[in-house]
Amino acid sequence: MYKKATLFTLLILFCSVQLLGADFTSRIDLLKGEKWWGVFIAGGRPMPFDAPFQKIDLSQGRGQKTPFMVSSRGRYVWSAEPFSITYTGDSFLIESSAGEVKAVSAGRTLREAYLVCCHKNFPPGGNAPSPELMTAPVYDPFLELGFEATETALCDYADQILKAGYPAGTLVVPAGWQSSIGSNEPSMHLFGDFAGMVRALHDKGFRVMLTVTPFVSGDGPIFRRYRGEQMFVSRPDSTVAMAEWDGGYSAFYDLTRPEVYELIKGRLDALRSNYGIDGFLFDCGGAMPYLKYAQGGAAAYLSRWSELSDGCDFCQYTVSRGTSGLVSYVHNLRLDHDFDWDFLRRAASDMVSANLLGYPYTVVSPRVSKLADLDRVDPKVFLRYLQLSSVMPVMNIAFAPWNITDPAVAASCKAIVNDRARLGAYYEQLVSESKRTAEPVLRHLEYEFPRNGFTDCDDQFMLGSRFLIAPLLDGKNSRMVRFPRGIWVDASGKRYRGPLVTTVTASNDHVLYFESEKNGDTKKQGN
C-alpha cells in the first residue's frame, strides 16, 4: 500500500553530510494546542517540546538524534537526510540541503501521524528480538567483575545469582574477553576452555552475550598487522584516529570499507558457531566523535554497525540506527546522568519518547561510570530502577541487587525481578504484533487516549493497550495516578473508574500497574 524507503532514522552524531549554505528553508507553524515529539532520541530536550531551542544541526554533536517528528494533531515531519532545526515556541524553522522538509497531515491524532509515517517511509521488516530477551533478566557484571572478567569469575557470578534466589537469564561478558583487543578471539589467559564455559553457563540456564566493540589496541598485534591496509578510521591528515573508551585509547575498524565489514561479520558468525555464543551487546560509543572520518561517513558507519546483528535476534545496541525499516533489535539507551532520582524521571520520559520515534524495543540503563560509588546511592533508587526496568521490553540489571545491605529493599528487589515473568507472555504478544504493525510496545498516554489531556503526562505510560504503568520515581510508596476513561484493575483486584486523578499506594513496594478491564483478562480471572 505504501512506498518503501531505504533509510530510517538517521541516528547521527558526526555525519559526513554538512549542512553548509542550506538550499531549502521551511517554516512549520504550530496549530492551536499542538504538541510535538522528535529529533532527540534521548537526553536532549523534555518532550513534547515546551520551550524554544536554538538552531541544532542534526549532522553534528554528540546527542542521539533523528530527522523525524510527530504531533498530537496528526502531523509528522520526516527526512531521509539530516537537517538543521530551530524552535521558536510557535514554529519550527528547518534548513536542508536535500530538499524542502514539510509537515505532512496524516490524520487527527498522534497515533495516526506515527503509523502513517512509519508505513510510508520506514515500514516494519518483520524482524524482532528473541522472545527470550523479554522474559528473563539480562545481567551485566561489568561493575562487579571489571573489564577482564575471567571464566571462574563469570561462573561464580552466575552461581551467586541462582543462590540468591534470582532467575537465570542472559549473562553479558565484558569487552575484555579477547586475546588482544580487536582480535575477536577469546583470551586463553582469561578462559581455559571458552566453549566449555559457555556450555556450563547454558547448563545453569543462562544465555551468553558477548560485548563487542570496533576497537583495536594501538600497541597490539592486530593493529600492527593491519595498520598499512587502511583497515582503521583515519583523520584527514592520514593519522589513525584514537578513541577513548573503557579499554583505554584505541584505533577502531572502518566498517564502511566492505572488506573490513566482511571480516568482522565473519568473526562474529564464527563466535556463534564455534563457541555457542547466543548474541552480542554492541557498543561503539567511544568512537562517536570520530565517525565523520570513516571512508563512508558517520551515517554509513552506523548503518553497517547495525547490520552486524543480521541473522542474530539476541542482540542489544547502545548506539544504533535503523537501515531499511523499524529498528528490530533492543536499543539500550545509556544515559550519561548521575544515578539518582532525576535519572529515573528522565529514563521514564526518554524511553517512551524513543518508542514514538521508531525504536519499539528501547530500554534505559545508567552508564557504569555513574555507578562507580554505589555506597553513596540511596538504596531506594536501586529499587525504583529495578521496578522501572521490570516493565521495560528487556530487564537489564547492571548491579548486584542481592548485595544490597538493607534487608527490606533487598527482599523487594528479588520479588520484583521474579515477578517480571508475569509480563513476559504479554511482551511476546506485543513484539509479535509490533514487527508487523510498527505499533510501539510502550506507548505515551496521548497515543492511546488522544485529546484527553495527556500530552504533558511523561511519568506514566501504557504497555500495549492493556496495562497502565505508573512507576514510582521517588522515595515515597504512593503517587498521583491519572486514569484514562474506562475500568482499571490493580493487582489486588481493586477497580478504578476513569477518568480519575487520585493517589494510589503501592503494596509492598510493587510496581504500580493497572489492567484495562476492556482490553485485559480481568474478567476471565474473576476479579
Side-chain angles (χ1 to χ4, degrees), residues 88-275:
T88 66
D90 54 20
S91 64
F92 295 102
L93 304 177
I94 299 178
E95 301 172 22
S96 172
S97 61
E100 185 178 4
V101 178
K102 300 179 180 180
V104 179
S105 180
R108 300 179 64 247
T109 67
L110 179 64
R111 182 174 184 267
E112 289 171 324
Y114 170 83
L115 289 177
V116 170
C117 186
C118 284
H119 284 276
K120 184 176 181 180
N121 297 296
F122 39 90
N127 300 315
S130 168
E132 290 185 58
L133 277 172
M134 311 288 174
T135 55
V138 175
Y139 299 96
D140 188 343
F142 182 95
L143 185 67
E144 306 286 334
L145 305 184
F147 183 72
E148 295 182 326
T150 66
E151 175 181 343
T152 300
L154 287 165
C155 289
D156 286 349
Y157 195 81
D159 289 337
Q160 289 178 37
I161 292 170
L162 300 178
K163 184 178 179 180
Y166 284 76
T170 297
L171 191 62
V172 177
V173 180
W177 57 271
Q178 302 168 80
S179 59
S180 177
I181 300 300
S183 68
N184 302 120
E185 275 293 326
S187 167
M188 295 302 295
H189 171 69
L190 299 175
F191 309 99
D193 180 2
F194 191 68
M197 181 198 73
V198 174
R199 288 194 299 271
L201 290 171
H202 284 169
D203 290 343
K204 297 176 189 291
F206 289 86
R207 303 290 290 270
V208 181
M209 180 179 284
L210 286 184
T211 301
V212 172
T213 74
F215 299 111
V216 178
S217 293
D219 59 352
I222 306 301
F223 181 80
R224 291 191 294 271
R225 176 181 176 183
Y226 291 123
R227 185 176 186 180
E229 300 181 27
Q230 297 183 321
M231 300 284 281
F232 309 123
V233 171
S234 296
R235 297 173 180 271
D237 62 4
S238 297
T239 59
V240 175
M242 303 296 285
E244 183 180 10
W245 66 296
D246 293 334
Y249 287 89
S250 301
F252 58 99
Y253 289 113
D254 189 347
L255 295 178
T256 65
R257 295 179 181 272
E259 67 277 12
V260 178
Y261 173 84
E262 293 301 329
L263 173 69
I264 304 304
K265 186 71 168 74
R267 289 177 180 177
L268 299 184
D269 291 343
L271 286 166
R272 295 176 65 202
S273 60
N274 296 341
Y275 298 104

Side-chain angles (χ1 to χ4, degrees), residues 441-460:
V441 173
L442 299 181
R443 302 171 187 174
H444 199 286
L445 263 68
E446 179 67 22
Y447 185 96
E448 278 291 306
F449 305 97
R451 304 196 181 195
N452 276 262
F454 290 115
T455 55
D456 64 341
C457 186
D458 63 355
D459 63 350
Q460 296 179 205

Side-chain angles (χ1 to χ4, degrees), residues 129-139 166-170 205 207 314 330 389-390 392-397 416-429 431:
S130 168
E132 290 185 58
L133 277 172
M134 311 288 174
T135 55
V138 175
Y139 299 96
Y166 284 76
T170 297
R207 303 290 290 270
F314 213 81
V330 177
S389 185
S390 73
M392 295 182 190
V394 174
M395 188 176 192
N396 281 320
I397 302 177
I416 290 162
V417 175
N418 282 289
D419 280 350
R420 162 67 189 208
R422 292 195 297 178
L423 292 177
Y426 186 53
Y427 260 115
E428 288 188 51
Q429 176 186 330
V431 170

Side-chain angles (χ1 to χ4, degrees), residues 224-405:
R224 291 191 294 271
R225 176 181 176 183
Y226 291 123
R227 185 176 186 180
E229 300 181 27
Q230 297 183 321
M231 300 284 281
F232 309 123
V233 171
S234 296
R235 297 173 180 271
D237 62 4
S238 297
T239 59
V240 175
M242 303 296 285
E244 183 180 10
W245 66 296
D246 293 334
Y249 287 89
S250 301
F252 58 99
Y253 289 113
D254 189 347
L255 295 178
T256 65
R257 295 179 181 272
E259 67 277 12
V260 178
Y261 173 84
E262 293 301 329
L263 173 69
I264 304 304
K265 186 71 168 74
R267 289 177 180 177
L268 299 184
D269 291 343
L271 286 166
R272 295 176 65 202
S273 60
N274 296 341
Y275 298 104
I277 292 300
D278 299 290
F280 306 100
L281 170 61
F282 291 96
D283 184 4
C284 68
M288 293 301 103
Y290 309 99
L291 291 189
K292 60 182 177 181
Y293 299 130
Q295 184 184 56
Y301 193 101
L302 290 171
S303 177
R304 296 302 272 169
W305 180 246
S306 297
E307 291 168 9
L308 286 174
S309 64
D310 286 356
C312 181
D313 62 359
F314 213 81
C315 295
Q316 294 195 46
Y317 278 84
T318 61
V319 177
S320 61
R321 66 158 287 206
T323 51
S324 59
L326 219 61
V327 168
S328 59
Y329 38 74
V330 177
H331 187 203
N332 188 340
L333 292 176
R334 290 185 172 176
L335 296 187
D336 191 15
H337 191 286
D338 290 340
F339 192 59
D340 54 18
W341 297 116
D342 189 52
F343 168 88
L344 296 177
R345 289 185 282 270
R346 286 186 57 181
S349 178
D350 284 356
M351 181 172 60
V352 177
S353 295
N355 272 262
L356 281 174
L357 301 176
Y359 291 82
Y361 316 116
T362 295
V363 300
V364 180
S365 300
R367 291 191 182 278
V368 173
S369 61
K370 300 300 182 180
L371 295 173
D373 195 357
L374 295 182
D375 292 338
R376 293 181 178 272
V377 179
D378 184 337
K380 273 213 165 182
V381 175
F382 289 114
L383 173 62
R384 296 292 185 247
Y385 173 70
L386 276 183
Q387 289 176 330
L388 182 60
S389 185
S390 73
V391 293
M392 295 182 190
V394 174
M395 188 176 192
N396 281 320
I397 302 177
F399 57 92
W402 50 89
N403 289 334
I404 292 176
T405 56

